[in-house]
């Protein structure tokens, strides 16, 4: 390629691509970053200096091309006054490319974090004007590293004010958690019905195959429910069935419906035409008030048929005090000891509210796998994780967090979540395999490092025992700490 062609490639207003050959360090650099540099050239340098700059950069990015031969072909000789400017430009360009490449490399790493799933990983199963149901992709589709939870799926239900969700059932055991709003849910077990009011923080256990329906009884606020589902048929799939017969009527032949319902074809067609196919229907105030006024399931009667061991839906926030709390955050936790219906799931449900600019203590679970979804706020997560490749070893991974971001923390993997300085970070967590699980913290109150013997401390950390104790015991807060930026403003010895 001649120098004029090189110059045209570098300096043309229509050129949007970087040189075809870059050193490996700059491999992540995208075309838009090269356009930034191209614009910088056009604004700051004369034509002859721009030309020679491109020659230098071409030689830099193409080791097989000799700079001297390119310069000999250049029709314009650079003046002595321009040389210092060119040197500064080349050094600045190299620094610029390094920064941009590093930034994009980090963004690429975050984008491919196998333990984090974002909006694009949700698909809309039902979308209507009055509500929707979104389902998270199979965990194993995001990464084979998540195969231990392939039998679980996460779904989100949103119902507008005054909306009725038609009767349905699904071939999966489920835990519902109300993250916003209030309403009323009805479960059918054999020949008995149980209805109860629900509100933010309520946990509802729904067994596979149970017919149910619900209504958003609020006039203003939407109803949000997060569902954790465990399949009973296939490990990678579950189905939701709608309709009076437990499935959409059009799924059966007319002959079967006539025999089943003992009703003529004409009457059945007229009846089912009125039903329509909408899963979300607008209910009148009178209908909502009538459903809400019935006393069944309210006042501590227990969720039939499971007896009084479970007093209605268990509320995360009203039933007991937070298990961890200080000015940097609160943690609410419920397991089978308090809510017996979680026992079959081997599950603990928790809700963390991290104050803005604060963080959780780094910790890991010995057995439990944490499936978490961001309810409100922003922040980021850092974790020490298995490498995505099949090579052994670990690496630090970090990802930004925003509403509806889902992240999975395998057992034994230390992690920390940090709230942004602008908002609190609220996270709903499902911890599966919770039986005999132990939570281990390396710092703060109850950290495990201080339980080591004197000799073990000195051998492991190559420091005196008092130094080790000071390092790991210097944090005087428990579980919730000031975040990294807050820490910088505090004085330490």
């Amino acid at each position: 390629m001649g120098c004029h062609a090189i110059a045209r490639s570098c300096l043309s207003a229509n050129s949007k691509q970087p040189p075809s050959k870059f050193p490996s360090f700059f491999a992540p650099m995208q075309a838009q970053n090269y356009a930034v540099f191209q614009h910088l050239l056009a604004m700051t340098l004369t034509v002859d200096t721009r030309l020679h700059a491109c020659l230098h950069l071409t030689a830099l990015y193409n080791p097989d091309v000799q700079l001297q031969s390119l310069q000999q072909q250049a029709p314009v000789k650079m003046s002595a006054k321009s040389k210092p400017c060119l040197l500064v430009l080349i050094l600045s360009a190299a620094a610029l490319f390094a920064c941009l490449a590093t930034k994009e490399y980090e963004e690429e790493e975050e984008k491919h974090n196998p333990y984090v799933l974002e909006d694009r990983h949700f698909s809309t199963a039902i979308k209507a004007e009055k509500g929707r149901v979104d389902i998270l992709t199979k965990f194993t589709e995001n990464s084979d590293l998540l195969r231990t939870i392939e039998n679980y799926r996460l779904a989100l239900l949103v119902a507008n004010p005054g909306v009725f969700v038609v009767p349905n059932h699904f071939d999966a055991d489920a835990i519902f958690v109300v993250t916003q709003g209030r309403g009323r849910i009805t479960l059918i077990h054999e020949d008995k019905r149980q209805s109860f009011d629900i509100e933010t923080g309520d946990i509802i256990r729904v067994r596979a195959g149970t017919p149910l329906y619900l209504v958003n009884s609020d006039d203003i606020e939407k109803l949000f429910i997060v569902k954790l589902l465990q399949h009973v048929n296939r490990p990678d799939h579950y189905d939701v069935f709608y309709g009076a017969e437990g499935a959409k009527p059009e799924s059966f032949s007319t002959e079967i419906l006539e025999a089943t319902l003992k009703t003529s074809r004409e009457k059945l067609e007229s009846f089912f035409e009125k039903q329509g196919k909408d899963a979300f229907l607008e209910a009148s105030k009178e209908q909502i008030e009538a459903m809400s006024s019935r006393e069944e399931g309210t006042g501590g009667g227990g969720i039939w048929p499971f007896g009084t061991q479970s007093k209605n839906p268990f509320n995360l926030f009203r039933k007991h005090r937070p298990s961890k709390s200080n000015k940097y955050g609160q943690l609410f936790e419920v397991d089978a000891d308090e809510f017996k219906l979680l026992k079959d799931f081997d599950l603990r449900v928790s809700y963390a509210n991290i104050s803005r600019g604060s963080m959780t203590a780094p910790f890991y679970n010995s057995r439990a796998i944490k499936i978490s979804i961001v309810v409100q706020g922003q922040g980021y997560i850092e974790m020490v994780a298995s490498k995505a490749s099949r090579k052994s070893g670990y690496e630090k991974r970090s990802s930004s967090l925003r509403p509806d971001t889902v992240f999975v923390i395998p057992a034994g993997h230390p992690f920390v979540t940090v709230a942004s300085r602008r908002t609190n970070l609220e996270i709903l967590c499902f911890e599966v395999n919770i039986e005999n699980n132990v939570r281990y913290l390396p710092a703060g109150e109850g950290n495990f490092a201080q339980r080591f013997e004197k000799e073990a401390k000195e051998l492991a950390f190559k420091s005196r025992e008092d130094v080790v104790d000071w390092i790991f015991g210097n944090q005087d807060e428990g579980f919730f700490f000031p975040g990294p930026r807050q820490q910088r403003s505090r004085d330490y010895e």
Side-chain angles (χ1 to χ4, degrees), residues 151-404:
N151 201 37
Y152 292 90
R153 294 290 290 276
L154 209 62
L156 309 177
L157 181 145
V158 183
N160 287 356
V163 164
F164 174 77
V165 181
V166 302
N168 64 90
H169 76 268
F170 32 84
D171 59 344
D173 288 316
I175 296 293
F176 289 9
V177 180
V178 181
T179 56
Q180 178 184 305
R182 64 187 183 92
R184 189 170 177 85
I185 189 170
T186 298
L187 307 178
I188 308 297
H189 184 83
E190 297 181 354
D191 60 345
K192 296 190 178 182
R193 179 185 69 230
Q194 185 74 11
S195 301
F196 44 88
D197 296 325
I198 54 176
E199 62 179 346
T200 301
D202 275 343
I203 306 170
I204 306 103
R205 170 74 156 90
V206 181
R207 296 190 183 277
T210 302
L212 64 90
Y213 54 87
L214 59 91
V215 63
N216 181 350
S217 56
D218 197 90
D219 295 330
I220 300 174
E221 194 173 32
K222 290 184 177 182
L223 177 65
F224 287 81
I225 296 177
V226 177
K227 305 177 184 180
L228 179 70
L229 301 116
Q230 187 177 31
H231 314 131
V232 297
N233 282 330
R234 292 165 49 186
D236 60 348
H237 182 79
Y238 80 98
D239 288 302
V240 182
F241 300 89
Y242 293 89
E245 287 299 309
K248 295 180 180 179
E250 60 267 27
S251 300
F252 290 103
S253 65
T254 304
E255 292 77 10
I256 293 295
L257 289 175
E258 284 183 303
T260 301
L261 301 176
K262 202 177 179 180
T263 304
S264 68
R265 178 191 298 260
E266 293 74 19
K267 289 183 179 179
L268 286 175
E269 288 178 351
S270 175
F271 175 77
F272 286 126
E273 279 179 5
K274 297 176 183 178
Q275 183 187 29
K277 298 181 181 181
D278 292 334
F280 297 88
L281 303 173
E282 186 172 352
S284 68
K285 287 187 177 181
E286 292 75 18
Q287 289 171 322
I288 294 174
E289 289 174 0
M291 286 188 286
S292 301
S293 64
R294 298 187 178 95
E295 293 299 323
E296 57 188 38
T298 61
I303 302 179
W304 199 96
F306 310 115
T308 57
Q309 59 179 335
S310 176
K311 301 291 186 180
N312 293 319
F314 192 100
N315 192 281
L316 268 166
F317 309 126
R318 290 191 294 103
K319 293 293 184 180
H320 64 128
R321 298 167 60 87
S323 57
K324 309 286 183 184
S325 180
N326 59 24
K327 65 180 180 180
Y328 304 109
Q330 290 183 314
L331 177 68
F332 298 86
E333 299 178 289
V334 176
D335 56 25
D337 290 337
E338 296 175 289
F339 188 42
K340 302 298 183 183
L341 301 183
L342 295 178
K343 186 173 180 59
D344 290 346
F345 258 84
D346 191 15
L347 176 74
R348 176 166 62 200
V349 180
S350 62
Y351 195 98
N353 185 356
I354 309 169
S355 301
R356 58 183 183 177
S358 302
M359 59 183 279
T360 60
F363 74 91
Y364 67 88
N365 285 320
S366 63
R367 293 190 71 254
I369 302 169
K370 183 185 286 282
I371 304 170
S372 305
I373 181 169
V374 178
V375 177
Q376 292 188 51
Q378 295 182 341
Y380 67 93
I381 180 174
E382 278 195 12
M383 63 182 297
V384 181
S386 303
K387 290 185 177 180
S389 64
R390 294 191 178 276
K391 296 180 180 179
S392 60
Y394 299 90
E395 58 189 350
K396 178 186 75 68
R397 288 190 174 272
S398 62
S399 291
S400 59
L401 300 176
R402 57 186 64 86
D404 295 341

Side-chain angles (χ1 to χ4, degrees), residues 5-62:
I6 297 170
R8 284 194 298 270
S9 174
C10 289
L11 302 178
S12 169
N14 295 324
S15 175
K16 300 298 182 182
Q17 298 297 325
S20 59
K21 188 172 183 179
F22 281 84
S24 60
F25 180 74
F26 296 110
M29 195 185 79
Q30 302 295 321
Q32 61 266 30
N33 295 334
Y34 187 74
V36 171
F37 176 67
Q38 172 189 319
H39 184 63
L40 180 64
L41 281 175
M43 291 179 60
T44 58
L45 300 178
T46 60
V47 172
D48 66 321
T49 309
R50 279 183 286 176
L51 175 59
H52 283 82
C54 286
L55 296 179
H56 278 270
L57 287 171
T58 301
L60 173 64
Y61 297 135
N62 294 271

Side-chain angles (χ1 to χ4, degrees), residues 439-451 472 475 477-478:
R439 179 186 292 152
Y440 288 104
L441 286 77
E445 294 180 2
N447 74 83
F448 61 80
Q450 289 188 315
R451 301 287 183 263
F472 287 98
Q475 176 58 260
E477 298 291 347

